[in-house]
Each structure stands twice: as structure tokens, then as C-alpha cells.
Amino acid sequence: MSLLAIDALTLAIRGTPLLRGVSLALQPGQTLGLVGESGSGKSLTALAAMGLLPEGATTTGSITFDGRDLLRTPEPQLCRLRGRRIGMIFQEPMTALNPVQPIGDQVAETLRIHTSAPRADAHRIAAEKLARVGLPTDRIPPSRFPHELSGGQRQRVCIAMAVALRPALLIADEPTTALDVTTQMQILRLLKSLVAEEGMALMLITHDLAVVSGLADRVAVMSEGRVVEENATEPLFRAMCHPYTRQLFAASDHRPARTSLPLGAPLLQVDGATRDYALPRTHLFRRRPSFRAVSDVSLTLHQGESVGLVGESGCGKSTLTRAILGLEPLQQGRIHLDGQPVGPGMPPTLRAKVQVVFQDPYGSFNPRHRIARAVAEPFHLLPAPPRGAARRAAVAEALEAVGLTAADMDKYPHEFSGGQRQRLAIARALIIRPALIVLDEAVSALDVSVRARILDLLADLQTRFGLTYLFISHDLAVVRAITDRVLVMQSGRIVEEGPTDRVFDHPSHPYTRALVAATPRIPAHWVPAAPCPNAGVGQQG
Amino acid sequence: MRSLSLLLGGSLVGLFFAAALVSFFWTPHGVEQIAIQLRFLPPSAAHPLGTDHLGRDILSMLMVGARTSIAVAIVAVGMGVALGVPLGLVAAATRGGLIDEIIMRGNDLIFAFPALVIAILITAVFGPSALNAIIAIGIFNTPVFARVTRGAALSLWTLDYIRAARVAGKGRARISVEHILPNIANLLIVQGTIQFSLGILAEAGLSYLGLGAQPPTPSWGRMLADAQTMVALAPHMAIFPGLAIVLTVLGLNLLGDGLRDLLDPRLRRAR
């Protein structure tokens, strides 16, 4: 009998259907990967399985866990199930923990709610669980607070809380999306070993096909509230019966067609850039200690080149970006753009040569400004900005260059999707025809299919306008798709640089090797070569 | 539930604003009309809320008194906004710097003084008048708005669209006015209604102590002060001004709550 069986589940919120007949089954000890893009209903399915439905949701169908229909179980009994029989791990380890409670107490709390374990026993078990997830008491004592831990360590605490009572089912919703690749690999390994040891079933929700390929026994692909394809992992990858699965697979590894431009003169030169940040004073009469975020970094970008800057969070890439944009000063070293010095006081004409696209498509626009005003903002840098009809014509041209229409200029940002907003951000960067565009994690927050289209757009714009890109990302696949040359940054220093393919195929620095090794990959021999055995069946969903 | 507080608060506040406006053209009786033979009358058809110890009509006095209260509170809150919001914006724009430190410590200094004592000091030095009450209340509104503005602006300064504006070469002042201010306006409106109710309360308090508007200008606070020795004789003299103050303050607070829910997009989405 299945541990969890979801049968023809539909869910609507105030009349809007979000799940349209989802059926899934999970056997004890099995790992099911639930894959889909945002809005596909994968997280909602998991929340429904926890009995955590959003307000105003109406459901039909059934969710049977351990022989009990969760949709018809009253809340007090659901409370006894959650945490004890079903554990859950969320995406954001920063907000999933209580910041004012030691981690040991938080793990012990789960134990004390569900069992009558005395305080001392609960704390002892909590310490054991923390040790099991890789936080041994002698190195990371349970008396630590969440802010004293790194993101990966916090996610380990969340896992310890979720598995403290050895639940039969563990639901992990994008557990590694907020983490660096090397940390992601460790967390995935931990989950794999926990599942094997404790005999738990795991429902792993992710947008990343490569992550499930290494972990799941079975995979279900969701799109628009339906499961479009479900099968054992390897046969699913080999066959890819449903066109949506194929599309997802193609998009996740998409490489836009690029024509390499002839390299021009050096455009951006960074020489020995060093940036220190002052830390809080430790003693009233001592000098404030400082933290060196960027240490003696030198790099050169040529006109028409596309260069990637890769590194994990905290490596200094954002600090370096701010210095290149002339937003913050350097302590040592110089940055030259087109031969002129870059810094907070640089003249508008020089500033107009570099623009930026940020990661978060939702935070990139003032919600109260219309698109015409937002996109035209960089005109502020021109001595005589175009006005009236000429200004609107320039905005229309920029919008059309990124695949939107002139009619969009009178709308507000909230009327656009994430991918469209990222196009708008590119239009804003493009409007004053800069020589250099800094793309700061510009596609990291997008779904794979949207990401593929934005990468196509970037490649196309580069050829059309002769742009130079500095592409900052933690995602090696993206950097590989769009850059000619790559720089790898670790702890404020550039540890390796060279042509992108050579660096990623034959990394020479140990850190680059670790990065490449940690990136999850679909096994190469699983390519969907064989035609679908029963194509008709798969296409139905 | 939210529309209820908005409706109730809006109608209470609307009622008192209407009363104040109408009093410019018409009141049931003249407020300077003294008729000793008609004193201490209980509510009746001719005097719906009765008369006071000088035979004046209490309803007319309340209507004209609303004018004083509203005028003092509006100007005082306006002064708080005019001084506090720019200070808060400057503090946020120079966050962590010396100017920020000076502004915020100056705020703490004003916060640390008991407001009423300073108000008494001001009126003691410059003499009691409605203007001095306005200045006293306005000074204490300033740090409230400075804090609210700075707090809200700080969280906005970290957003990407602010960084994009900096890349577009815009200075701190321009970003503050163009990007920060419109996005914290709803917060300021809500804080404004709450400060407005506190202003009415403060004006009543100062008038009660004889430090606000001077006779013969009617004022709710002084009506209460006049009534206190005669509560046993004519309780309606205390009850109606007291009710006017309570209902106005309640109305403004409900309106503030309602507006906050209406203007906060996060709460709107949870509907």
C-alpha cells in the first residue's frame, strides 16, 4: 500500500483553479521528485499533503496518508501528524528558524510537542539529531543561535527538526535553491543518506531536473496544475514522452546561438582593486577591525567581449560589481572605463557607458512609476535628454528591442510577469546605449524556459549593439551558455581565469574543480535518444 | 471588518469636520451670548445639549470648539510632517553617517523630554495662546515623523530600483524625493491620522490647563475645565465635551487603522 496517495486532487482559490486533478503515489522509503516551473502547483501539492491549505481554498479528490484521508481529517489530528509522521523542509533557511532561540531548543521543541520526553532527554536527543545532520556538539554546540550559522548549517538545523521524530514522510520544498552549489551538494548527500538510513519517504520539490536525476527514484513533472508525466527516474529521462518534459530539459541546458564579435580595445580595466569594510568596534579605544571583501583583483574586458564572474555567496563579486558601477570607492587599486577613472564622483558622461541589470525582477522597478518613466531613467545622465515625443520614441525603441511593445510604456510594473520585468530591466540598461552592461545574477531568479529566452535575447542584443557583458553568477550552466571567458572568484581573489569551456572542462585550481564537481548534472548517457515507447499515453496529460 | 473601521472612523471624523465647517456660517445660538437666567439648563428642544454656567448653548460651543481643536491639530501635525519627513529622509540617505547620527540623537533628545512640561514652559515664557499650543504640539510631532520616515526609507534604500537610479546618476536628494517619498506616503498618511488624534487630545489637555486657546474662543478642553467644579450640579456640561473628544479621537484612530489596511498592499492581498 502506498504511504501517500493523492488521487484526482483539485484545488481552487476563490474560483481560480490551481490544481486540476493531481494524482501521485509515494511508497514507503521511496524518493519522489516533483519538478515544475513556478505556478505549476508543485508547492501547493506539497502543502495540501501537509494539510496546510491557504485560506479560501476549496478541494476535491483525496489525499490518503497511512490509510487516512487528510482532506477530511480535523485540524487537531493533523497537528499530531505534522512533525511526527510528516516532516517538512522549506526553501529559505534564513526565515524558517526562530532568530531568538538556540538551535538545540528549536529541535527539542518538536520532540517535546509530540512526545512526553522530559526536558533533559529532549535536549539530549536534539543534540544527537544535530550531530547526525553534520553539526557535532563539539564544533557547533546546540546553544548557538541561527545568526551564528551559515546558510547551509541553518538548512541542516531545519533538516534535524524535520527528521527528529523519524517521520515516515519528509517533504522538502526547494531545499537547496537558496544555497551555493558546494553546499547544495552536501545537503543533497545528507538527504540521500537520511532517506536510506531511516527508511523515510522523501518528496523532493524542485525546478532543477539535474537535482532530481541524482536523488529521486521516481519523477513527476508538473505543469499548470497537472502531472504531465510520471515515471521511474532513468526511464523518464531516457524517454521524455511529454513535450513539456522535453521542453524543460532543453531549456535547462539551453545555449543561445552566439556569434563572437571581433575583440576591440580594452574597455574596462581593473588594477589591483581592494575593498575593505569596517566591522563593528570590539574595543572602545582600538581601531575598528576590517574585513577585506575584494583583495587585489585585476581584470580586463575588451570591447564586444562577454566575460563571466563566478563565485559563491560572500566571495566579493557583489562588492566588485558596486565598485565597477562607480557606486562605492576602493581602498586601493584603480578602475578605468574607456581610459577614464571610475569612482563615486565620476562624470555623468562616463557613467552613461555602464549600466546594470539586477537579479530580482520584482525589486527592480519603483511600483509607482509607469514603465515609460522607469525605462527612461538613465536619460538623467545625458546633458540634453530627449523630451516629449522623442523621449517616447526612444522608450518605444528600447522596449521593442527587448521583445515588448511600445504600448507597454503606459503600464505599471505589477502588470508584467517576472520574465517581462527582466526584459524591462534590460531595456532600461540599453536605452542610453552603454558600452558595458553588468548582469548581476540577471537570470538567476527566472524559470528555466524564461531564462532560456532571456539568454537568447542577451546574445542577440550583444551582436546587434556590439555590447560588452560582465556576467556575474553563481550558476555555472548559465555562465557557460553566454560567456567567452570566465573568472572564478574565491574569498575576494580571482583564483582562475581563461576561456569558459576550457576552465569548466579542465579546471586547474582546486576551488574551480570543487565548483564544477558540485554542480548537479543529468548523467550524460541518459540522453533522450530512444523514441517514446507508448507516445500516445504520455501525451494525454 | 476593515471596511467597518474605515466607515465608522470616516463618519465620526466627517461629522466633526462638518460641524466645524458649519459653525463658520451657522450655530444654533451665538457662543458669546451670555444669558445668566438660562444657565444649567438640561438638554431640551431649544438647547439640544443644554446650557453651561453662563447660559451659553453647549452644542454651539462644541461646534465652534471643534474648529479650534481641528485647526490646532492640523497645523501641529503639518509642522511635524514638514520638519520630520525631510529630517527622516536626510537621515536615511546618509544612514550610518554623522548627519544621521546627529538627527537621530536630536530626536532622542526631544523624545526624552516630557511633552506636557515643555508645552507648559513654552506657554509660561510666551504666554498662553492657541499659536503657542500649536508650536508645542508641533515640536513633539517632529521626531515621530522623522523616525517613521527614516525606518521606512531605510528598507527602501536597499532595493534594486534605488541602485538602478544610482547607476542612472541620480543623487541622494533626487532619489529621496522621486523614489522614496511616494513609496512611504501611505505610511505617513496613517501616522498622520494617529498624530492628528493625539494632537486633538494634547490641545484639549493644554486648554484644560488654561494654556491653549483663550476665552472667549470656545475650546473643548476649557469647557471640561469649566465644568469640573459643577459636575454634580450640571453633569451634561462635562459629559458632552468629553464625548466629543472621545469620539473624535476614536474616529481618527479607526480611520488610521482602516487606511493602513487599505493602503498596505501586503494586507490587501490577504483579503
Side-chain angles (χ1 to χ4, degrees):
Chain A
M1 195 189 72
S2 301
L3 176 69
L4 176 76
I6 300 176
D7 187 36
L9 176 70
T10 71
L11 187 150
I13 295 179
R14 268 171 255 106
T16 312
L18 297 172
L19 296 180
R20 311 159 195 249
V22 173
S23 298
L24 285 173
L26 188 52
Q27 310 303 324
Q30 201 182 45
T31 299
L32 172 74
L34 204 53
V35 185
E37 297 190 285
S38 47
S40 63
K42 57 191 194 301
S43 292
L44 216 47
T45 306
L47 288 175
M50 285 284 276
L52 295 170
L53 291 171
E55 257 179 77
T58 50
T59 52
T60 65
S62 70
I63 303 173
T64 316
F65 175 78
D66 251 2
R68 183 183 344 211
D69 187 352
L70 295 185
L71 292 178
R72 278 156 204 86
T73 305
E75 180 65 22
Q77 288 177 34
L78 283 177
C79 281
R80 282 201 287 278
L81 277 180
R82 283 184 214 127
R84 183 203 279 269
R85 301 281 296 146
I86 309 178
M88 184 146 187
I89 308 165
F90 297 94
Q91 173 172 353
E92 195 48 80
M94 304 291 166
T95 51
L97 293 174
N98 180 348
V100 295
Q101 218 181 23
I103 53 171
D105 289 10
Q106 298 192 44
V107 178
E109 191 189 10
T110 324
L111 294 159
R112 279 160 57 77
I113 289 172
H114 291 285
T115 64
S116 52
R119 202 181 178 82
D121 284 1
H123 277 86
R124 188 181 45 76
I125 299 171
E128 282 168 15
K129 292 292 170 187
L130 284 169
R132 174 62 194 87
V133 299
L135 302 172
T137 307
D138 51 337
R139 281 185 42 231
I140 316 276
S143 57
R144 290 268 180 102
F145 285 91
H147 70 265
E148 297 172 306
L149 305 179
S150 70
Q153 289 171 333
R154 284 182 228 195
Q155 197 60 297
R156 286 174 192 266
V157 176
C158 293
I159 294 173
M161 285 167 73
V163 303
L165 285 160
R166 314 180 63 143
L169 170 65
L170 180 63
I171 298 176
D173 189 355
E174 303 270 10
T176 58
T177 307
L179 305 175
D180 285 322
V181 276
T182 48
T183 321
Q184 162 169 295
M185 182 183 68
Q186 294 161 4
I187 295 289
L188 291 177
R189 268 195 199 146
L190 171 65
L191 284 175
K192 200 169 184 170
S193 69
L194 281 172
V195 166
E197 269 172 38
E198 316 255 333
M200 279 186 297
L202 172 66
M203 188 195 272
L204 178 72
I205 299 159
T206 178
H207 64 282
D208 193 338
L209 282 171
V211 166
V212 289
S213 73
L215 203 60
D217 302 313
R218 292 184 76 80
V219 175
V221 181
M222 283 191 75
S223 168
E224 293 174 6
R226 288 192 184 86
V227 175
V228 295
E229 186 167 7
E230 206 248 321
N231 203 344
T233 308
E234 193 178 334
L236 182 131
F237 277 96
R238 281 188 186 277
M240 296 220 181
C241 288
H242 196 277
Y244 180 76
T245 314
R246 282 181 187 245
Q247 192 191 322
L248 207 59
F249 176 75
S252 68
D253 199 28
H254 181 75
R255 298 184 75 164
R258 296 181 59 232
T259 44
S260 282
L261 301 168
L263 286 194
L267 176 69
L268 177 78
Q269 284 168 298
V270 179
D271 288 315
T274 298
R275 174 85 170 110
D276 294 330
Y277 283 110
L279 295 175
R281 216 175 270 282
T282 51
H283 188 278
L284 191 59
F285 298 109
R286 293 215 188 103
R287 280 190 57 192
R288 291 173 68 165
S290 64
F291 168 72
R292 182 151 287 191
V294 173
S295 172
D296 194 24
V297 165
S298 300
L299 58 96
T300 306
L301 260 69
H302 295 267
Q303 194 100 41
E305 202 178 14
S306 182
V307 174
L309 182 62
V310 179
E312 299 191 284
S313 50
C315 74
K317 58 191 197 295
S318 301
T319 308
L320 182 62
T321 313
R322 284 196 291 273
I324 290 172
L325 292 170
L327 297 179
E328 280 179 16
L330 291 173
Q331 264 81 35
Q332 284 166 43
R334 283 182 310 275
I335 301 177
H336 283 90
L337 180 64
D338 227 6
Q340 290 171 276
V342 168
M346 68 202 219
T349 45
L350 181 61
R351 218 173 252 289
K353 289 183 184 156
V354 53
Q355 284 296 307
V356 63
V357 177
F358 293 110
Q359 171 176 8
D360 179 12
Y362 295 92
S364 290
F365 290 92
N366 184 339
R368 287 171 199 273
H369 285 184
R370 283 179 201 275
I371 296 310
R373 184 171 178 189
V375 168
E377 190 163 44
F379 276 149
H380 183 69
L381 292 164
L382 300 183
R387 312 220 156 266
R391 194 184 184 91
R392 288 182 71 83
V395 173
E397 195 190 331
L399 290 178
E400 275 155 15
V402 297
L404 296 168
T405 64
D408 288 328
M409 73 168 82
D410 293 315
K411 293 185 187 165
Y412 283 99
H414 69 260
E415 296 173 61
F416 296 90
S417 68
Q420 286 173 321
R421 283 186 216 208
Q422 216 56 340
R423 285 173 190 266
L424 290 170
I426 295 168
R428 172 170 64 190
L430 208 59
I431 196 162
I432 49 167
R433 294 291 144 77
L436 171 66
I437 294 187
V438 177
L439 299 148
D440 187 358
E441 301 275 5
V443 296
S444 304
L446 305 174
D447 278 326
V448 281
S449 56
V450 179
R451 185 174 84 189
R453 290 197 293 275
I454 295 285
L455 288 175
D456 281 338
L457 173 70
L458 287 171
D460 172 49
L461 292 173
Q462 179 165 40
T463 322
R464 268 162 68 196
F465 299 109
L467 295 168
T468 307
Y469 288 152
L470 178 59
F471 204 99
I472 294 148
S473 184
H474 68 280
D475 187 336
L476 303 191
V478 169
V479 170
R480 195 167 197 157
I482 192 86
T483 64
D484 313 305
R485 199 152 61 83
V486 68
L487 307 158
V488 182
M489 202 165 171
Q490 184 198 17
S491 321
R493 290 173 186 281
I494 291 189
V495 295
E496 183 164 1
E497 81 171 283
T500 307
D501 286 336
R502 201 210 69 208
V503 170
F504 289 164
D505 290 338
H506 309 285
S508 62
H509 192 274
Y511 178 70
T512 319
R513 254 180 256 149
L515 270 186
V516 172
T519 307
R521 211 170 292 145
I522 301 169
H525 60 278
W526 283 9
V527 279
C532 198
N534 42 2
V537 181
Q539 306 266 340
Q540 277 175 3
Chain B
M1 202 59 218
R2 182 201 48 235
S3 59
L4 184 70
S5 68
L6 198 63
L7 194 73
L8 200 63
S11 12
L12 279 173
V13 173
L15 182 72
F16 283 98
F17 266 83
L21 286 178
V22 168
S23 76
F24 280 103
F25 311 106
W26 175 83
T27 52
H29 299 269
V31 289
E32 287 165 30
Q33 220 172 40
I34 292 173
I36 301 295
Q37 72 279 15
L38 293 178
R39 68 186 175 162
F40 300 138
L41 286 184
S44 66
H47 298 280
L49 303 181
T51 58
D52 70 355
H53 59 299
L54 297 175
R56 292 175 295 187
D57 178 48
I58 289 182
L59 176 61
S60 311
M61 299 259 300
L62 283 183
M63 286 170 70
V64 180
R67 220 149 79 186
T68 322
S69 297
I70 289 171
V72 169
I74 281 189
V75 179
V77 172
M79 190 171 141
V81 170
L83 293 175
V85 171
L87 283 176
L89 287 177
V90 169
T94 59
R95 62 209 166 281
L98 187 63
I99 298 174
D100 178 25
E101 201 69 15
I102 291 171
I103 291 174
M104 293 326 285
R105 296 297 79 79
N107 265 347
D108 292 346
L109 204 67
I110 298 180
F111 265 131
F113 276 104
L116 205 61
V117 175
I118 296 294
I120 292 171
L121 188 75
I122 289 177
T123 47
V125 174
F126 299 104
S129 74
L131 180 69
N132 287 336
I134 288 174
I135 294 174
I137 300 169
I139 286 176
F140 284 96
N141 265 319
T142 307
V144 175
F145 282 101
R147 267 209 181 161
V148 169
T149 306
R150 179 177 179 270
L154 277 185
S155 62
L156 288 182
W157 270 101
T158 61
L159 293 181
D160 279 347
Y161 65 82
I162 303 291
R163 276 203 279 161
R166 289 177 66 200
V167 172
K170 290 190 171 164
R172 289 167 175 173
R174 181 131 189 190
I175 289 175
S176 290
V177 173
E178 248 179 52
H179 289 291
I180 308 275
L181 195 56
N183 281 296
I184 61 171
N186 51 10
L187 215 67
L188 294 177
I189 289 170
V190 172
Q191 191 64 39
T193 54
I194 289 162
Q195 290 311 112
F196 192 72
S197 73
L198 291 178
I200 285 188
L201 222 46
E203 190 274 337
L206 289 177
S207 301
Y208 176 81
L209 297 174
L211 303 173
Q214 291 304 296
T217 317
S219 138
W220 293 350
R222 226 192 31 264
M223 286 169 76
L224 274 181
D226 290 344
Q228 72 176 345
T229 51
M230 299 162 221
V231 166
L233 199 61
H236 63 271
M237 269 180 72
I239 289 170
F240 292 116
L243 266 182
I245 294 170
V246 169
L247 290 179
T248 313
V249 170
L250 180 71
L252 281 164
N253 280 319
L254 286 176
L255 186 67
D257 272 4
L259 281 177
R260 186 188 54 216
D261 295 356
L262 188 74
L263 295 173
D264 190 334
R266 276 169 303 172
L267 293 171
R268 193 165 28 188
R269 221 174 294 141
R271 182 165 27 178

